[in-house]
Structures are given as C-alpha cells and as structure tokens.
C-alpha cells in the first residue's frame, strides 16, 4: 500500500530530532508539536458566468510564543490542511532562526488560479480577508505573498481588512505594492537571499562562487530573482525550468535575455523561449541536471527518495519550502550532498517582510540600499549560527538550523512561564 504523504508528520520528525539533540523532553516542547489555532473557511464567490462557487480557505497559526504570527498565503489546487499546518510550523522555525520577533502561520486557498479571471481572483481574496478578519491584524497575524499570490493580491487583502477596520491598516499584510506601503527590495528579497546563501556556502566549502554551475527549478518570484542575482554575481545558470518544461545550456543560459523574454508578455513560459544550442527536458528532470549547485525553487516534495540517489549536484540550496522529503534528506546526507535548509535559504522574504512591517508601524520608508544591507547582515548571521551549531553537534545543516530555532522558541516559552 502506498503511504499517503503527510507534510506535517515530516515536520514533526525534524522537530523531534532537533529537540532530542537539544536534550529536551517532550513536555518541554509539546506546544510546538501542536499548532495553536487551525481555521478552515468557506468562501462563496459569484463567478463571471453568474454561478456561485465555494472555495475552501485555511489559516493555521502555529506558534505565537515569540511574537505575532507571520506567514504567507498560497493559492493552489493542492492546498490542504496538513500542508498548511506544516508550512505554518516551518514559519515558526524560520522566524526564530533569523531571530525576527514573530511566530509562525500560513494560509491558503484551494484554487487553480490559471482558471480564474482577475475579477474572480479579487473576489476570492476579499472574501478570504473578510473571513480571516477576526484573527489577523498588524499585532496579531500578518499574512504575505507565497505561491501564486503577489503584491496586487496583498493590496486587495489590505483594502478589505482596512474597510472592516474603519481605517487604513497597511501593517496587516506585507509584500504590498510600494504605493500602498510596500518595502523597496521586498519583491526580490527571497531570490536575493538565496544568492547570498549560495555565496556563503561556497565560502564555507571552499568552492568557487563566481563561475559555479547552477541548476534552478522554478522561475517565479523566488527562482526568477535568484537566477537574476546569481547571474549578476558571475554564476553560470546551466539549467532552468518552470511548469512548462526545462532548458539547459552547458556554457550557461543567457539569463538577461530569458528574463526579458518572459517579462514582455503575461503568460509567457520557458517552452516559448528559444535560442541556438538549447537542450529541452521535462520539468521534473531539472533536479537531475549536471550542475555544482541545485536550487529547488518551486513546490514542495521536488526531491524524493527516487531522485535523491541520482542528483549530480554537490550542494542543494532550498529556495522553496519543503522541497526535500525526509527519506531523500537521509540519502543526500549519506551521499555527502550538502543541503542548505529552506528555513535559512529562503528566509530573505520573511526578513524583508519584517522590515516592511517595521516601516509601516513607524510610517517611515527606508532606502533600498539600507534594506539590502540589513537583509544581508541578518541572513549571514543566521547562516553562521546554524552552521556553527551543526559543526559543534556533528549533524546536518538542517538539524543545526532547527536546533537554533527550537531552542529560541522553547527558551522564550519558559521565560514567559508557559509550559
Ligand atoms: N511566503 C514567504 C515564506 O514562506 C514569506 C512569508 C512572509 O513574508 O510573511 O517565507
């Protein structure tokens, strides 16, 4: 019988292992095994053809020990409670690792965005925001973009919330358009952070950063910005994929031309791009491409135990949330493939979300250079803390990162007098 994949069980496995290595008893961290609040909502929407459709939405608030809940909202046909729970827990650990004063949450709506008009998308967002109104707010729970959501959607969410709240409340979401209180640098922050983490791991492993050969799965907000910044730093993007397929070129793809091509028209995909010498492959084969570094920056579960033995890269930098299954992680560890874990590698987005929220609360905006400098400082500090812990404990980088995070939350809970 095929075992049903449960992302939350996988998170619990990592949590238990980290807690065990920290010498904790279950009683010390039991609150982290259970999300504090799980909400399921039903959003009725009048579609463009006059019919009514009811969409399922979720918000899970995992841990509020260290501050207001924080985490994105994803729109995807596969969204379900177990996945949202796992993603919410990962946000608690991510915020603790980079030491932001937040707890973790995640939300989602089960919908295939490719089948929606813009009007329908807006109605779903406003309906979802209205149903979430009692449990979100600038000092309660602050959503942000995630898979298939963007600044425009955050603007609608903020407007719906503000209307109910009786005043403009920009701090209720981050990742907003700049004109509505968004932060400079937020859009590309996750991708820029991925680039920084590639640079740092190359330094640690004494591998060349400039000229390194990189394969990137995903060309959206994370993958697109990551390849842009890696290319700018002199790395060679030898393979790239999106949902339509993958392309590779042994000497490095012309990233400027590809990004320019994709941005010229809405809906353009990699399958529409062509250039001499280009090799094409199905998108699920991206992880098997010949490269020094692999960056999964699309959906979860991209690296399974079936593909892990065949991965050629020596280093994996997890741009996506949860791209590697536990079984695959064990195989990679045995094979000596180094994994920079998601809660560190993709923490650039949440870090600049935090900056955005701080700017909103102070009604003040920072120059982009200030945002980027502070982002780099915070991420490099978190990298060092996780790395040093992993080295000290003779464990994986992922375990080092989780140990730092779990310890911070458990210590805060104890100081608050929480059991
Ligand atoms: N969705 C992003 C993440 O998974 C950003 C969350 C946020 O900015 O709150 O980290």
């Amino acid at each position: 019988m095929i075992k049903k994949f449960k992302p939350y069980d996988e998170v619990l496995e990592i949590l238990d292992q980290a807690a065990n290595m920290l010498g904790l008893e279950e009683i010390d961290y039991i609150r982290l095994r259970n999300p504090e609040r799980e909400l399921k909502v039903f959003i009725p929407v009048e579609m463009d053809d006059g019919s009514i459709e009811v969409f399922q939405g979720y918000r899970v608030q995992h841990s509020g020990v260290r501050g207001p809940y924080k985490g994105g909202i994803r729109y995807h046909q596969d969204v379900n409670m177990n996945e949202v729970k796992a993603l919410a827990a990962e946000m608690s650990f991510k915020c603790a690792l980079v030491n932001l004063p937040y707890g973790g949450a995640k939300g989602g709506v089960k919908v295939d965005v490719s089948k929606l008009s813009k009007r329908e998308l807006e109605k779903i967002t406003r309906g979802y925001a209205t149903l979430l109104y009692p449990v979100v707010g600038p000092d309660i729970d602050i959503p942000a973009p995630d898979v298939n959501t963007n600044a425009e959607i955050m603007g609608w969410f903020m407007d719906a919330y503000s209307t109910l709240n009786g005043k403009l409340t920009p701090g209720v979401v981050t990742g907003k358009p700049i004109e509505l209180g968004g932060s400079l640098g937020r859009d590309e922050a996750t991708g820029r952070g991925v680039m920084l983490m590639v640079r740092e791991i190359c330094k640690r492993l004494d591998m060349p950063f400039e000229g390194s050969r990189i394969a990137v799965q995903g060309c959206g907000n994370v993958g697109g910005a990551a390849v842009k910044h890696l290319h700018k730093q002199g790395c060679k993007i030898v393979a790239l994929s999106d949902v339509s397929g993958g392309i590779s070129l042994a000497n490095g793809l012309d990233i400027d031309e590809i990004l320019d091509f994709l941005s010229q028209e809405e809906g353009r995909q990699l399958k529409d791009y062509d250039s001499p010498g280009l090799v094409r492959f199905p998108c699920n084969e991206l992880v098997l491409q010949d490269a020094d570094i692999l960056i999964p920056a699309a959906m979860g579960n991209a690296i399974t135990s079936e593909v892990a033995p065949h991965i050629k890269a020596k280093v994996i930098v997890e741009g996506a949330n949860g791209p590697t299954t536990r079984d695959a992680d064990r195989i990679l560890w045995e094979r000596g493939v180094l994994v920079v874990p998601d809660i560190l590698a993709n923490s650039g987005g949440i870090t600049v979300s935090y900056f955005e929220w701080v700017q909103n609360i102070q009604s003040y905006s920072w120059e982009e250079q200030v945002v980027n400098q502070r982002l780099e400082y915070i991420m490099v500090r978190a990298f060092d803390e996780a790395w040093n812990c992993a080295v000290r404990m003779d464990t994986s980088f992922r375990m080092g990162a989780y140990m730092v995070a779990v310890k911070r939350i458990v210590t805060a809970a104890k100081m608050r007098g929480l059991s």
Side-chain angles (χ1 to χ4, degrees):
M1 201 176 76
I2 297 173
K3 207 170 76 190
K4 195 163 175 254
F5 182 69
K6 293 241 180 76
Y8 194 67
D9 288 349
E10 302 242 314
V11 175
L12 287 182
E13 200 183 309
I14 308 176
L15 169 62
D16 287 342
Q17 200 184 331
N20 185 27
M21 291 189 71
L22 284 165
L24 300 174
E25 301 291 330
E26 193 177 337
I27 191 86
D28 300 324
Y29 71 99
I30 196 142
R31 60 174 49 251
L32 289 180
R33 297 191 96 251
N34 303 284
E36 290 173 11
R37 201 175 277 125
E38 293 179 18
L39 177 68
K40 186 170 179 186
V41 297
F42 294 89
I43 314 159
V45 172
E46 186 184 347
M47 307 302 278
D48 290 350
D49 65 2
S51 65
I52 306 278
E53 257 190 63
V54 181
F55 296 91
Q56 280 176 34
Y58 304 88
R59 185 77 181 165
V60 173
Q61 297 171 335
H62 174 260
S63 166
V65 168
R66 298 181 71 256
Y69 308 103
K70 183 88 188 82
I73 297 167
R74 63 172 56 182
Y75 288 177
H76 197 274
Q77 54 277 19
D78 297 335
V79 160
N80 61 70
M81 185 60 100
N82 194 279
E83 181 192 70
V84 177
K85 260 166 76 167
L87 293 163
E90 280 168 12
M91 290 310 298
S92 299
F93 302 123
K94 195 184 299 185
C95 293
L97 172 64
V98 279
N99 217 353
L100 307 177
Y102 287 139
K106 199 78 167 201
V109 177
K110 189 174 169 60
V111 61
D112 182 351
V113 285
S114 69
K115 300 210 169 90
L116 294 177
S117 71
K118 198 154 172 179
R119 240 185 90 203
E120 292 166 340
L121 193 65
E122 179 173 346
K123 282 186 181 174
I124 290 176
T125 304
R126 289 183 182 279
Y128 179 62
T130 303
L131 289 163
L132 252 53
Y133 176 74
V135 297
V136 295
D139 48 12
I140 303 171
D141 181 357
I142 308 122
D146 196 74
V147 174
N148 292 330
T149 54
N150 55 22
E152 188 176 35
I153 292 175
M154 294 307 114
W156 296 329
F157 191 107
M158 192 273 277
D159 180 67
Y161 180 91
S162 296
T163 304
L164 291 165
N165 205 28
K167 60 180 178 191
L168 188 69
T169 317
V172 66
V173 286
T174 57
K176 298 178 292 293
I178 304 293
E179 296 79 358
L180 294 179
S183 175
L184 294 169
R186 172 64 184 87
D187 217 22
E188 294 189 354
T190 316
R192 176 184 288 276
V194 168
M195 176 275 287
L196 293 171
M197 296 298 94
V198 172
R199 188 193 72 191
E200 292 305 300
I201 195 66
C202 287
K203 267 193 224 162
R204 289 284 179 172
L205 300 179
D206 229 355
M207 272 168 68
F209 172 54
E210 231 187 282
S212 57
R213 299 171 62 258
I214 306 183
V216 181
Q217 180 187 46
C219 202
N221 177 268
V222 182
V227 292
K228 177 178 156 186
H229 287 287
L230 288 162
H231 177 68
K232 234 179 167 168
Q233 298 295 321
C235 304
K236 272 189 191 163
I237 310 301
V238 290
L240 182 63
S241 71
D242 64 13
V243 281
S244 75
I247 53 176
S248 69
L249 204 57
N251 284 333
L253 295 160
D254 187 337
I255 291 302
D256 293 333
E257 190 183 274
I258 294 173
L259 294 179
D260 190 48
F261 171 83
L262 294 175
S263 68
Q264 270 168 20
E265 236 176 76
E266 211 168 309
R268 271 195 179 171
Q269 295 181 313
L270 286 177
K271 71 168 170 24
D272 308 317
Y273 171 78
D274 206 5
S275 136
L278 211 64
V279 179
R280 294 189 187 276
F281 52 87
C283 58
N284 60 359
E285 284 176 20
L286 184 285
V287 295
L288 302 172
Q289 298 301 305
D290 186 13
D292 304 320
I293 300 168
L294 168 64
I295 303 180
M299 298 301 289
N301 245 346
I303 303 176
T304 59
S305 51
E306 280 87 63
V307 296
H310 312 293
I311 284 177
K312 298 189 184 81
K314 294 272 160 297
V315 173
I316 297 176
V317 180
E318 296 183 330
N321 286 315
T324 312
T325 66
R326 288 309 81 234
D327 289 345
D329 216 23
R330 277 185 280 271
I331 296 170
L332 294 169
W333 170 255
E334 278 159 20
R335 291 188 55 217
V337 178
L338 198 134
V339 181
V340 182
D342 49 1
I343 61 167
L344 173 66
N346 70 33
S347 63
I350 184 75
T351 303
V352 178
S353 271
Y354 166 62
F355 297 159
E356 179 173 330
W357 179 76
V358 168
Q359 292 170 76
N360 291 157
I361 288 172
Q362 300 182 341
S363 299
Y364 184 73
S365 62
W366 305 352
E367 300 292 331
E368 188 162 356
Q369 207 193 350
V370 174
V371 170
N372 293 341
Q373 268 167 7
R374 292 184 179 172
L375 169 68
E376 179 164 347
Y377 172 77
I378 286 185
M379 287 190 74
V380 172
R381 181 183 65 188
F383 182 104
D384 290 343
E385 285 171 336
W387 182 268
N388 293 341
C389 177
V391 171
R392 201 173 52 244
M393 300 302 292
D394 192 20
T395 184
S396 69
F397 202 3
R398 188 186 312 284
M399 209 30 70
Y402 268 82
M403 287 175 73
V404 171
V406 171
K407 188 162 183 204
R408 277 201 181 122
I409 305 174
V410 168
T411 306
K414 256 209 186 96
M415 286 179 164
R416 283 182 57 175
L418 303 168
S419 56

